[in-house]
Amino acid sequence: GAEPVLTITPHHLDIDIRDDQIILAIRACFARPGFIHSLVSFTVSGIVINTLSTYMDYLVRLNGAGREYTGIVGGSFQVVIMISSLIIGGL
């Protein structure tokens, strides 16, 4: 398999990784049903969140909002993302 070989002595830990181990691990991941769907959704969500975070200042100021309001909206957006990650991760 794709497991590392651990050699443990009282004062030393040695981890041997085979040359093809990473390739085997990647193949094993892609062979699992649903992995590609999860990978695509994770990637797309990261792109959307980073894009919204990057342009949050511009998007909020389109309505003429001040810097304080922009900071509150941006900070709230980040807090909602963290809370939703905790909720979804707990399911």
Side-chain angles (χ1 to χ4, degrees), residues 4-86:
V5 177
L6 300 175
T7 306
I8 302 172
T9 61
H11 300 288
H12 184 70
L13 171 65
D14 190 27
I15 302 173
D16 292 323
I17 299 175
R18 293 182 6 207
D19 293 339
D20 62 344
Q21 184 171 350
I22 301 221
I23 294 170
L24 290 174
I26 291 171
R27 280 187 182 166
C29 287
F30 279 100
R32 290 180 175 264
F35 177 77
I36 293 175
H37 294 88
S38 299
L39 179 66
V40 169
S41 64
F42 178 77
T43 304
V44 169
S45 69
I47 290 169
V48 169
I49 289 171
N50 285 332
T51 302
L52 286 174
S53 296
T54 300
Y55 295 107
M56 183 68 67
D57 184 40
Y58 174 75
L59 294 172
V60 173
R61 286 182 181 227
L62 284 175
N63 293 332
R67 290 185 62 82
E68 183 176 314
Y69 182 74
T70 303
I72 291 170
V73 170
S76 299
F77 179 71
Q78 295 297 327
V79 169
V80 167
I81 289 170
M82 288 188 291
I83 291 172
S84 64
S85 295
L86 290 172

